C-alpha cells in the first residue's frame, strides 16, 4: 500500500523555495529528493566538496545550464551575500567571488597588524 502522494524515483518537482528537485531514492523521507542543479553539477564535476555550495550565477533557479552553476565555499557564499555580490549575470557573480576572496584577505591582513 502506497500513500496517494507517492511518486517514482526520477520524478521532478519544484520545492517551496523554487528549486527543481529530483526524487533519487525511496524511504529516507528527508533525503529522497535532491536539487537538480546539484545532480547536474556533480554529473559533470564530481561530488560537491564538504563545506561548499553550488549557486546560480544569474540568480535564476530555473537556469540549469552548467555555465550558470558556480561552486563556492560556504565562507565565500556568506561574503557574497553580505556584500550583495551575486548578480543577474554569471560572469559578474564570478567576479564577485574574486572580490569576496580579496575582502577576506584584506580583513585577515588588517587583523594581523593589530
Amino acid at each position: 500500500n502506497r500513500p496517494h502522494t507517492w511518486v517514482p524515483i526520477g520524478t521532478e518537482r519544484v520545492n517551496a523555495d523554487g528549486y527543481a528537485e529530483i526524487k533519487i531514492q525511496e524511504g529516507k523521507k528527508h533525503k529522497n529528493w535532491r536539487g537538480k542543479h546539484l545532480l547536474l553539477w556533480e554529473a559533470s564535476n564530481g561530488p560537491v566538496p564538504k563545506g561548499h555550495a553550488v549557486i546560480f550565477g544569474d540568480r535564476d533557479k530555473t537556469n540549469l545550464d552548467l555555465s550558470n552553476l558556480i561552486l563556492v565555499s560556504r565562507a565565500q557564499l556568506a561574503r557574497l551575500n553580505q556584500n550583495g555580490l551575486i548578480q543577474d549575470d554569471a560572469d559578474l557573480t564570478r567576479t564577485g567571488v574574486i572580490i569576496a576572496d580579496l575582502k577576506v584577505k584584506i580583513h585577515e591582513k588588517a587583523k594581523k597588524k593589530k
Side-chain angles (χ1 to χ4, degrees), residues 7-105:
V7 292
I9 292 172
T11 299
E12 293 187 27
R13 71 178 183 188
V14 176
N15 70 16
D17 294 324
Y19 291 94
E21 295 180 319
I22 298 176
K23 186 172 183 179
I24 58 168
Q25 66 182 8
E26 298 283 353
K28 296 180 181 177
K29 197 168 190 160
H30 65 283
K31 293 193 177 197
N32 288 349
W33 297 85
R34 185 103 197 262
K36 187 173 183 178
H37 67 291
L38 297 172
L39 294 172
L40 291 170
W41 193 90
E42 288 180 340
S44 180
N45 301 290
V48 174
K50 187 174 182 174
H52 287 73
V54 176
I55 64 170
F56 296 91
D58 65 359
R59 290 191 241 185
D60 180 359
K61 296 174 189 171
T62 64
N63 183 355
L64 297 168
D65 190 273
L66 278 175
S67 65
N68 189 48
L69 302 178
I70 303 170
L71 178 72
V72 295
S73 70
R74 293 286 177 181
Q76 287 171 321
L77 183 56
R79 288 285 178 193
L80 289 168
N81 288 325
Q82 288 169 352
N83 294 286
L85 296 172
I86 299 175
Q87 301 296 310
D88 292 334
D89 178 276
D91 289 332
L92 290 176
T93 299
R94 282 185 184 83
T95 302
V97 173
I98 295 167
I99 292 169
D101 290 341
L102 286 171
K103 285 182 174 280
V104 168
K105 290 291 182 189

